[in-house]
Amino acid sequence: MRAGVEIRVKGKVQGVGFRPAVWQIAHQMGLCGDVSNDSEGVLIHLPANADITGFIRRLQAQCPPLARIDHIGQQDYTFEQCPAAFTITASGQGEMDTEIIPDAATCDACLRELFDPENRRYRYPFINCTHCGPRFTIIRGMPYDRPNTAMSVFPFCPVCQHEYGDPADRRFHAQPNACPDCGPHIWLTDPQQQITARFDDALSAAVRLLKDGKILAMQGLGGFHLVADAQNSDAVAALRARKYRPAKPFAVMIPSVDWLAECAEHQPDAGLITLLKSPAAPIVLTDEPGLSAALSPLVAPGLCETGIMLPSNPLQHLLLHDIQRPLIMTSGNASGHTPALDHAAAFEQLSTIADAFLLHNREIIQRADDSIVRYQPGDIQVIRRARGYVPDAIDVSAATGENPPAVLALGGDLKNTFCLLHHHQIITGPHLGDLSDLSVQGQLEASLTLFEQIYQIRPQAIAGDAHPGYISHQKGIAMAQARGVPFIPVYHHHAHIAACLAEHGWRPQDGEVAGVALDGLGYGADDTLWGGEILAGDYRQMIRTGGLPAVSLPGGDKAAVQPWRNLLAHLHHAGLWPSSPLAVRLAGKNTSLLIKAIEQDLNAPKASSCGRLFDAAACALGLTADQISWEGEAACALEACALQCHNQDALITGDTLPLTTDNIIDLRPLWQMLADETLTVPERAFLFHVLLANTFAGLADDTATRRKTNTVVLSGGVFNNRLLRRFIKSGLNHRQVLEPRQLPCGDGGIAAGQALIAAIALGH
């Protein structure tokens, strides 16, 4: 028996080389003891007479690149027998209280080996180490050990086994560790599933196909991509036609930062490079000069931004290295379907789209779409939180207080993500999409099962959107009843504001805030549809203090895809139909029938939707087709047009729109301005943003003054609009303004807000 000390380390400490780092520090200090993983993190046992303070100091200084230490605790420990050395012991089980690591982009050390002809992993598409490679997408359960991953079917060769067992090796306990002798491999097939090439020949054949303008379906880590030459307009047009994607922008994978510098003719911003080369390797929306000219104009038609990314896994690195040109990398799914995750689904969905399939034999356990981040110098905004970020936990202990209840929040029906509130952390699930798709519902259920198994969590409540017609609402009620726990409905815009507050460490005792919630549609506290609100409140409740008027949505859901319907409704609401010059935009439409429907309230629900207002304005200026093919298409066209305005500074004024007595915005002057042909179309588009932003900023400022708070929160999908966000922030520059950073401002972030609101309601 011997006295010792047990050190408990919590945080992002599994699957990142943490145990070998501990082993190396212990050997450097000449210490005996042991280290192990368990479901709570990492456990270290050292003799009581060891320099514990010095050991912890070194541990914090030598933390592995992908690791993050959140907490280090220690208590007395008794060894059963005196340790003669320092060892790494087997992992334990138990309730999960550590973090799963997101997939990480290929590290520089592995890249050097990948392209070193003398290395045994030369051009091996599955090279990885403890500092990079798949994590979340291959995991079946915790602890994160090889038998619990998709690599369990690939027994080690002797050399890989030695690396895996050597604490001094960079691949010590790298669970996906493999080589050409024992690991996964690739091959190329045609749409009829006939294999045409294997191994490196498959890559060479894929490169030839892409150079010839063909379309490739490529299996990745968390799904499939459809790949085409981004400089070949014929190839891009073919991809658009086959995928029935007429206008939505494509993401582009570029060969290197050097390629970007060459087409931009200057060194790209350092922050942009850092983001592109980060372990998450997201798609980055950028307006980097020269980029769009280097690509086919069909990549992002009519837009000022392009989504670019660097290769994030070895197979992509090899492909881009060999082809040396930018490639479209878009989600591998047919229109109306979720991305394929296995070979059968890929051939079923993509055989009429792709000319060839580049496949491998490592199973995808968990879907992981590409993350999307917007970058401007000094400003990073997460648009879609997915690969590389999920399931990273976000500490919300400031908001939850001590011993928060476990909560499962199901999010909304669009851009669906779910969220677990567990031990002071919110853990968001993968981006899934529209729950009206049965396959998305299936993926939601599969993901929930996996997360609950991994974290071994038993929710004490289920939270969901308050809209009674939402699938997420109905599923939440059913799940709560099956588990015998309460279902807590949360108003949509309350969730938007609460999610932002939580990630900024706002405490319940910090009081009220003013909120600006702008999006398409959300169920409001008065049981009507909201979408352009000024709010005031906290985690417990929010009240509406002003905002946009409630305007009819003629045809209900059709108004979301046919912008002209919204223009008609807005002109009618403003008393400008049919006298406004803008009525010419509606020539040939069956306006009389729709006007009757509006006046008789037939399939024309009212909503104060900011998203539909943007659609109407885009239609008023002739910037959108009769029917849009992707959400946000009309609004993005309006913003892109505004950014082309050449006299922006002269148009930036403090002018606002008038208000009614109950702080509802009077939009009549806005429509009159949009009809003013003495202004150019870009000038009118720009002024639309200025007037609307000034008015919202003034309303929020007035609410903050009346509620005696200095803090204003901006959230909702409309805040993906750079101009509107910039002008509202400018109008509130004397206030503390909080915006979503780690979570999307759109519906992909509301599950986190639901979870916090529900937890505080339970603890109240």
Side-chain angles (χ1 to χ4, degrees):
M1 306 291 283
R2 182 174 176 182
V5 174
E6 180 176 275
I7 301 172
R8 160 68 69 192
V9 186
K10 292 187 177 184
K12 197 191 296 185
V13 292
Q14 291 191 17
V16 292
F18 200 87
R19 288 180 297 172
V22 171
W23 182 90
Q24 290 172 11
I25 293 169
H27 276 254
Q28 292 165 7
M29 298 179 67
L31 301 176
C32 297
D34 61 71
V35 60
S36 64
N37 279 342
D38 68 3
S39 57
E40 293 188 51
V42 167
L43 269 182
I44 305 165
H45 297 130
L46 295 173
N49 61 358
D51 179 5
I52 303 299
T53 301
F55 176 86
I56 291 175
R57 188 182 304 117
R58 287 201 190 192
L59 187 60
Q60 292 170 323
Q62 298 177 32
C63 188
L66 296 180
R68 188 190 70 243
I69 297 172
D70 292 336
H71 174 75
I72 297 178
Q74 55 182 290
Q75 62 181 14
D76 292 340
Y77 177 77
T78 302
F79 287 98
E80 292 185 5
Q81 59 184 32
C82 296
F86 193 89
T87 58
I88 297 176
T89 61
S91 300
Q93 301 288 338
E95 184 187 355
M96 177 73 178
D97 189 22
T98 188
E99 294 187 34
I100 305 169
I101 306 303
D103 292 17
T106 311
C107 69
D108 290 341
C110 282
L111 280 178
R112 287 192 294 270
E113 294 175 349
L114 182 66
F115 294 108
D116 178 3
E118 303 301 318
N119 192 278
R120 74 188 192 94
R121 291 187 175 87
Y122 175 58
R123 293 184 64 83
Y124 181 55
F126 302 93
I127 190 171
N128 67 89
C129 69
T130 54
H131 302 155
C132 68
R135 299 290 193 277
F136 172 61
T137 52
I138 63 170
I139 193 169
R140 297 185 191 276
M142 291 298 284
Y144 176 65
D145 285 332
R146 195 176 181 97
N148 292 329
T149 73
M151 294 300 295
S152 62
V153 297
F154 298 101
F156 282 130
C157 69
V159 181
C160 286
Q161 181 68 63
H162 176 76
E163 293 171 334
Y164 182 85
D166 181 1
D169 194 284
R170 194 174 89 251
R171 293 185 169 88
F172 175 76
H173 276 231
Q175 307 306 335
N177 188 32
C179 75
D181 293 333
C182 65
H185 63 273
I186 63 170
W187 64 93
L188 191 76
T189 81
D190 60 22
Q192 289 72 45
Q193 304 186 43
Q194 298 298 311
I195 296 176
T196 57
R198 295 181 183 273
F199 311 117
D200 211 42
D201 290 341
L203 267 170
S204 300
V207 168
R208 289 194 298 272
L209 285 166
L210 290 168
K211 286 183 175 179
D212 289 342
K214 304 298 184 182
I215 297 167
L216 180 70
M218 180 176 176
Q219 186 177 358
L221 297 182
F224 280 71
H225 283 104
L226 288 167
V227 188
D229 185 346
Q231 295 177 317
N232 184 333
S233 289
D234 289 339
V236 181
L239 179 56
R240 288 201 176 280
R242 295 182 196 177
K243 201 182 178 190
Y244 303 107
R245 185 169 168 167
K248 190 175 183 179
F250 286 127
V252 174
M253 184 169 285
I254 61 175
S256 65
V257 170
D258 290 339
W259 180 90
L260 180 62
E262 288 175 11
C263 73
E265 298 183 351
H266 69 92
Q267 186 62 28
D269 182 85
L272 173 62
I273 294 174
T274 298
L275 189 55
L276 287 168
K277 297 179 72 173
S278 67
I283 297 169
V284 181
L285 298 178
T286 177
D287 54 7
E288 188 70 26
L291 180 58
S292 59
L295 304 171
S296 164
L298 298 180
V299 168
L303 301 182
C304 301
E305 291 179 306
T306 306
I308 60 172
M309 56 181 160
L310 288 173
S312 63
N313 65 59
L315 185 56
Q316 293 173 348
H317 276 287
L318 289 167
L319 184 64
L320 271 292
H321 173 270
D322 290 357
I323 200 167
Q324 283 300 303
R325 65 181 68 179
L327 298 174
I328 286 173
M329 285 271 176
T330 191
S331 57
N333 63 293
S335 178
H337 293 75
T338 56
L341 299 184
D342 57 37
H343 296 174
F347 283 113
E348 181 182 354
Q349 287 193 45
L350 308 179
S351 290
T352 59
I353 301 176
D355 297 298
F357 290 74
L358 187 58
L359 306 174
H360 62 72
N361 59 336
R362 183 174 62 199
E363 184 182 1
I364 299 170
I365 306 296
Q366 185 60 268
R367 173 181 166 184
D369 294 50
D370 294 315
S371 292
I372 303 175
V373 177
R374 171 176 281 126
Y375 176 81
Q376 291 181 298
D379 186 14
I380 297 175
Q381 182 186 14
V382 173
I383 307 294
R384 183 166 75 197
R385 183 179 170 91
R387 177 187 53 77
Y389 296 107
V390 171
D392 257 354
I394 299 174
D395 181 13
V396 292
S397 54
T400 61
E402 295 184 4
N403 302 317
V407 176
L408 166 61
L410 295 181
D413 277 16
L414 300 178
K415 301 180 185 66
N416 179 263
T417 62
F418 61 86
C419 174
L420 297 177
L421 174 60
H422 184 49
H423 292 178
H424 305 287
Q425 295 178 323
I426 50 173
I427 304 150
T428 59
H431 166 83
L432 294 174
D434 185 351
L435 286 184
S436 64
D437 185 330
L438 289 177
S439 60
V440 174
Q441 293 182 39
Q443 290 191 354
L444 170 62
E445 291 165 4
S447 294
L448 284 172
T449 299
L450 178 70
F451 270 64
E452 291 189 74
Q453 171 199 344
I454 287 173
Y455 289 96
Q456 299 179 37
I457 181 176
R458 294 183 179 179
Q460 295 168 250
I462 308 291
D465 197 287
H467 195 307
Y470 272 18
I471 295 167
S472 53
H473 179 99
Q474 295 159 5
K475 278 187 173 292
I477 291 175
M479 290 174 63
Q481 289 174 344
R483 297 165 189 237
V485 299
F487 174 73
I488 299 178
V490 179
Y491 291 114
H492 192 86
H493 299 92
H494 190 186
H496 271 307
I497 301 300
C500 181
L501 287 175
E503 71 162 281
H504 283 280
W506 191 266
R507 303 170 303 170
Q509 61 265 36
D510 290 333
E512 288 192 347
V513 298
V516 186
L518 307 179
D519 62 4
L521 291 174
Y523 201 64
D526 58 357
D527 298 335
T528 65
L529 296 174
W530 291 2
E533 325 311 319
I534 305 297
L535 303 171
D538 53 22
Y539 291 114
R540 292 181 175 83
Q541 65 175 0
M542 284 272 169
I543 63 169
R544 186 177 193 258
T545 65
L548 291 175
V551 176
S552 297
L553 302 175
D557 291 343
K558 287 184 179 179
V561 295
Q562 295 181 340
W564 62 269
R565 292 174 179 265
N566 300 295
L567 176 58
L568 175 65
H570 269 280
L571 292 179
H572 179 270
H573 182 271
L576 299 174
W577 175 262
S579 60
S580 170
L582 298 175
V584 70
R585 300 291 182 193
L586 303 173
K589 303 293 188 299
N590 194 353
T591 54
S592 59
L593 184 64
L594 287 179
I595 290 296
K596 287 181 181 178
I598 290 171
E599 291 176 344
Q600 296 176 20
D601 199 23
L602 297 174
N603 194 26
K606 288 183 169 59
S608 54
S609 171
C610 193
R612 301 295 78 79
L613 172 61
F614 269 77
D615 290 351
C619 180
L621 296 179
L623 300 174
T624 183
D626 285 349
Q627 182 148 327
I628 59 176
S629 61
W630 56 281
E631 185 188 16
E633 180 179 346
C636 287
L638 182 65
E639 182 189 26
C641 180
L643 290 169
Q644 295 169 11
C645 178
H646 297 302
N647 58 332
Q648 294 183 11
D649 290 345
L651 297 177
I652 297 176
T653 68
D655 294 347
T656 61
L657 296 167
L659 304 173
T660 66
T661 54
D662 52 353
N663 282 335
I664 300 300
I665 300 172
D666 181 353
L667 295 174
R668 282 176 297 179
L670 194 67
W671 299 114
Q672 291 162 348
M673 180 276 295
L674 289 172
D676 184 356
E677 293 188 354
T678 65
L679 300 169
T680 67
V681 171
E683 287 173 338
R684 282 178 271 173
F686 189 82
L687 275 173
F688 171 88
H689 288 80
V690 171
L691 288 171
L692 200 62
N694 287 351
T695 308
F696 274 121
L699 277 170
D701 186 54
D702 179 66
T703 294
T705 298
R706 287 188 286 110
R707 307 297 290 200
K708 298 180 180 179
T709 178
N710 190 47
T711 302
V712 180
V713 178
L714 312 180
S715 193
V718 172
F719 279 106
N720 286 323
N721 182 298
R722 292 171 291 166
L723 270 182
L724 191 76
R725 188 162 59 99
R726 170 185 145 199
F727 292 146
I728 290 179
K729 287 171 64 177
S730 176
L732 294 167
N733 58 10
H734 58 295
R735 300 282 187 186
Q736 175 181 250
V737 176
L738 303 181
E739 308 168 76
R741 290 301 182 199
Q742 300 180 74
L743 296 167
C745 65
D747 284 5
I750 63 169
Q754 292 170 354
L756 266 295
I757 291 168
I760 289 172
L762 287 174
H764 180 57

